[in-house]
Short mmCIF file of all heavy atoms in Angstrom, two decimals:
data_model
loop_
_atom_site.label_atom_id
_atom_site.label_comp_id
_atom_site.label_asym_id
_atom_site.label_seq_id
_atom_site.Cartn_x
_atom_site.Cartn_y
_atom_site.Cartn_z
N LYS A 83 -89.23 14.58 -0.29
CA LYS A 83 -89.73 13.21 -0.22
C LYS A 83 -89.00 12.39 0.80
O LYS A 83 -87.79 12.15 0.65
CB LYS A 83 -89.79 12.57 -1.57
CG LYS A 83 -90.58 13.22 -2.60
CD LYS A 83 -90.52 12.54 -3.92
CE LYS A 83 -91.46 13.34 -4.88
NZ LYS A 83 -91.17 13.03 -6.28
N THR A 84 -89.59 12.18 1.92
CA THR A 84 -88.87 11.53 3.07
C THR A 84 -88.19 10.19 2.61
O THR A 84 -87.10 9.91 2.99
CB THR A 84 -89.91 11.16 4.18
OG1 THR A 84 -90.54 12.42 4.48
CG2 THR A 84 -89.12 10.73 5.43
N LYS A 85 -88.91 9.47 1.77
CA LYS A 85 -88.47 8.16 1.29
C LYS A 85 -87.07 8.24 0.61
O LYS A 85 -86.20 7.49 0.81
CB LYS A 85 -89.51 7.49 0.46
CG LYS A 85 -89.13 6.14 -0.09
CD LYS A 85 -90.27 5.52 -0.88
CE LYS A 85 -89.91 5.69 -2.34
NZ LYS A 85 -90.82 5.11 -3.28
N ASP A 86 -86.99 9.27 -0.29
CA ASP A 86 -85.73 9.47 -1.02
C ASP A 86 -84.53 9.83 -0.10
O ASP A 86 -83.43 9.20 -0.29
CB ASP A 86 -85.88 10.61 -2.02
CG ASP A 86 -86.82 10.30 -3.14
OD1 ASP A 86 -87.23 9.12 -3.31
OD2 ASP A 86 -87.26 11.27 -3.85
N LEU A 87 -84.75 10.62 0.84
CA LEU A 87 -83.67 10.99 1.76
C LEU A 87 -83.36 9.81 2.69
O LEU A 87 -82.19 9.49 2.89
CB LEU A 87 -84.04 12.21 2.58
CG LEU A 87 -82.98 12.69 3.54
CD1 LEU A 87 -81.69 13.05 2.81
CD2 LEU A 87 -83.44 13.91 4.36
N SER A 88 -84.36 9.16 3.16
CA SER A 88 -84.14 7.97 4.04
C SER A 88 -83.29 6.94 3.35
O SER A 88 -82.37 6.41 3.90
CB SER A 88 -85.46 7.34 4.51
OG SER A 88 -86.22 8.21 5.28
N HIS A 89 -83.60 6.71 2.08
CA HIS A 89 -82.83 5.75 1.27
C HIS A 89 -81.35 6.22 1.13
O HIS A 89 -80.44 5.32 1.34
CB HIS A 89 -83.42 5.56 -0.07
CG HIS A 89 -82.74 4.60 -1.00
ND1 HIS A 89 -82.77 3.25 -0.74
CD2 HIS A 89 -81.96 4.85 -2.03
CE1 HIS A 89 -82.02 2.68 -1.67
NE2 HIS A 89 -81.51 3.63 -2.46
N GLN A 90 -81.05 7.42 0.87
CA GLN A 90 -79.71 7.93 0.67
C GLN A 90 -78.95 7.78 2.00
O GLN A 90 -77.75 7.55 1.98
CB GLN A 90 -79.71 9.40 0.26
CG GLN A 90 -80.08 9.56 -1.20
CD GLN A 90 -79.86 11.03 -1.69
OE1 GLN A 90 -78.81 11.62 -1.46
NE2 GLN A 90 -80.97 11.56 -2.16
N LEU A 91 -79.61 7.98 3.14
CA LEU A 91 -78.90 7.93 4.41
C LEU A 91 -78.84 6.55 5.00
O LEU A 91 -78.11 6.28 5.96
CB LEU A 91 -79.64 8.83 5.41
CG LEU A 91 -79.65 10.36 5.06
CD1 LEU A 91 -80.47 11.12 6.11
CD2 LEU A 91 -78.20 10.89 4.97
N GLY A 92 -79.63 5.64 4.41
CA GLY A 92 -79.71 4.32 5.01
C GLY A 92 -80.41 4.22 6.30
O GLY A 92 -80.08 3.47 7.18
N VAL A 93 -81.40 5.05 6.45
CA VAL A 93 -82.19 5.25 7.67
C VAL A 93 -83.59 4.70 7.35
O VAL A 93 -84.18 5.02 6.35
CB VAL A 93 -82.27 6.67 8.20
CG1 VAL A 93 -83.20 6.82 9.40
CG2 VAL A 93 -80.93 7.18 8.51
N ALA A 94 -84.15 3.82 8.19
CA ALA A 94 -85.39 3.19 7.88
C ALA A 94 -86.55 4.19 7.67
O ALA A 94 -87.29 4.12 6.77
CB ALA A 94 -85.77 2.16 9.05
N ARG A 95 -86.71 5.18 8.60
CA ARG A 95 -87.72 6.17 8.46
C ARG A 95 -87.37 7.46 9.14
O ARG A 95 -86.91 7.48 10.26
CB ARG A 95 -89.02 5.56 9.17
CG ARG A 95 -90.15 6.46 9.02
CD ARG A 95 -91.40 5.86 9.69
NE ARG A 95 -92.31 6.89 10.09
CZ ARG A 95 -92.66 7.21 11.30
NH1 ARG A 95 -92.20 6.51 12.32
NH2 ARG A 95 -93.51 8.22 11.57
N LEU A 96 -87.51 8.61 8.43
CA LEU A 96 -87.32 9.90 8.96
C LEU A 96 -88.65 10.58 9.11
O LEU A 96 -89.58 10.33 8.41
CB LEU A 96 -86.49 10.70 7.98
CG LEU A 96 -84.99 10.37 7.81
CD1 LEU A 96 -84.42 11.22 6.76
CD2 LEU A 96 -84.28 10.54 9.14
#
Side-chain angles (χ1 to χ4, degrees):
K83 297 180 181 163
T84 309
K85 184 176 99 176
D86 294 344
L87 182 58
S88 294
H89 179 73
Q90 284 185 56
L91 298 176
V93 176
R95 181 177 157 246
L96 287 175

